[in-house]
């Protein structure tokens, strides 16, 4: 029996799970809803880092060392900019720039982000459905002790997520709306999955889209999150550091508490199997996804486990 899976993700961590799911589910049975709070304007281009990480990962173009950007991409454009005295702080590969140019152009001509995302993915051979969380621009703003409010990429890339975070907000979220495509996918989902992405930076903006959280909670289906925190540490990035700064303990249990009634299932790593978890269904298995086979194994184990509930 075909099951419809919708997975909510940010960039690199979530892309690993999305890749695993895409290897075992046919295109019509998997929808990937992606955070767009990291999107920003740079040199006049609309850059959507998480959407592109997912697209490059699913198409096989992704840089294996970075987990984002395109493998073997060159940097002639930014090197040329340096001749003018520019000091680029955000890496844009030459091939990557083509993505941003075409997206910006299409959006200026009236295409929605959903439409252009579909077109770019299809052109790269990605058949599974990749959707932005909304078509309305939303910008994650990070309030820091050292610099006050910073645009997300300034915090994350320029300052390498070192400033101490006081709070986060999602500018423009009140005007955002769930897209018809995301709405239909969630309505038809047999399983809703929250990928091992940063809960505060990647998943919170998705859940903050007006109506999104309520729509997910209203679905009487398995709603499962995979912990991005393993043994009290983030596999990568600022999740664990951010937890301390926001006043939480560094633990997978806190992630489960944070998701609250959005989830009814939670998966932790075997190293965390004794943690008390405030969720109806819980399990543990290896959830570090280094290789392609790890990604497929995590996706398979998750689907098998969820189907064993009923
Ligand atoms: P970002 O845009 O790079 O922040 O991408 P995400 O938000 O999707 O991913 C960051 C989170 O993914 C971090 O909290 C990591 O701990 C987590 N993560 C990365 N790789 C893995 C992995 O292999 N397994 C698990 N469980 N979590 C991971």
């Amino acid at each position: 029996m075909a099951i419809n899976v919708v997975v909510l993700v940010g960039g690199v961590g979530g892309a690993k799970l999305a890749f695993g799911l895409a290897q075992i589910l046919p295109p019509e049975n998997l929808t990937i809803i992606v955070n767009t709070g990291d999107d920003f304007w740079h040199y006049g281009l609309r850059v959507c880092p998480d959407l592109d990480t997912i697209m490059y990962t699913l198409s096989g173009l992704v840089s294996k060392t970075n987990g984002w950007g395109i493998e073997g991409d060159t940097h002639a454009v930014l090197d040329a900019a340096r001749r003018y005295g520019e000091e680029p702080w955000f890496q844009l590969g030459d091939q990557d720039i083509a993505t941003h140019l075409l997206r910006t152009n299409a959006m200026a001509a009236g295409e929605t982000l959903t439409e252009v995302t579909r077109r770019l993915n299809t052109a790269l051979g990605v058949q599974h459905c990749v959707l932005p969380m909304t078509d309305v621009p939303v910008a994650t703003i990070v309030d820091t002790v050292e610099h006050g409010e910073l645009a997300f990429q300034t915090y994350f890339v320029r300052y390498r997520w070192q400033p101490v975070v006081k709070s986060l907000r999602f500018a423009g979220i009140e005007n955002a709306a769930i897209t018809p495509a995301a709405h239909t996918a969630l309505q038809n989902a047999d399983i809703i999955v929250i990928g091992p992405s940063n809960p505060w930076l990647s998943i919170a903006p998705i859940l903050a889209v007006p109506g999104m959280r309520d729509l997910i909670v209203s679905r009487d289906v398995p709603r499962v999150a995979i912990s991005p925190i393993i043994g009290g540490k983030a596999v990568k990035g600022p999740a664990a550091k951010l937890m301390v700064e926001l006043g939480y303990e560094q633990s997978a249990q806190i992630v489960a508490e944070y998701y609250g009634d959005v989830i009814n299932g939670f998966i932790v790593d075997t190293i965390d199997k004794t943690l008390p978890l405030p969720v109806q269904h819980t399990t543990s298995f290896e959830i570090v996804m280094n290789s392609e086979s790890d990604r497929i194994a995590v996706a398979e184990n998750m689907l098998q486990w969820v189907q064993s509930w009923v």
Side-chain angles (χ1 to χ4, degrees), residues 235-299:
V235 179
K236 170 188 154 290
K241 174 176 175 285
L242 197 64
M243 288 174 91
V244 175
E245 292 166 1
L246 295 177
Y248 301 109
E249 225 181 285
Q250 291 170 303
S251 149
Q253 185 187 338
I254 300 296
V255 176
E257 282 170 15
Y258 177 70
Y259 287 140
D261 64 355
V262 173
I263 57 171
N264 51 21
F266 193 64
I267 301 172
V268 294
D269 195 79
T270 40
I271 199 175
D272 291 316
K273 69 172 175 227
T274 56
L275 281 179
L277 296 166
V279 188
Q280 195 182 353
H281 301 273
T282 62
T283 191
S284 61
F285 49 82
E286 300 266 327
I287 55 168
V288 178
M289 295 175 278
N290 290 327
S291 65
E292 288 192 1
S293 57
D294 293 345
R295 295 166 195 191
I296 296 169
V298 170

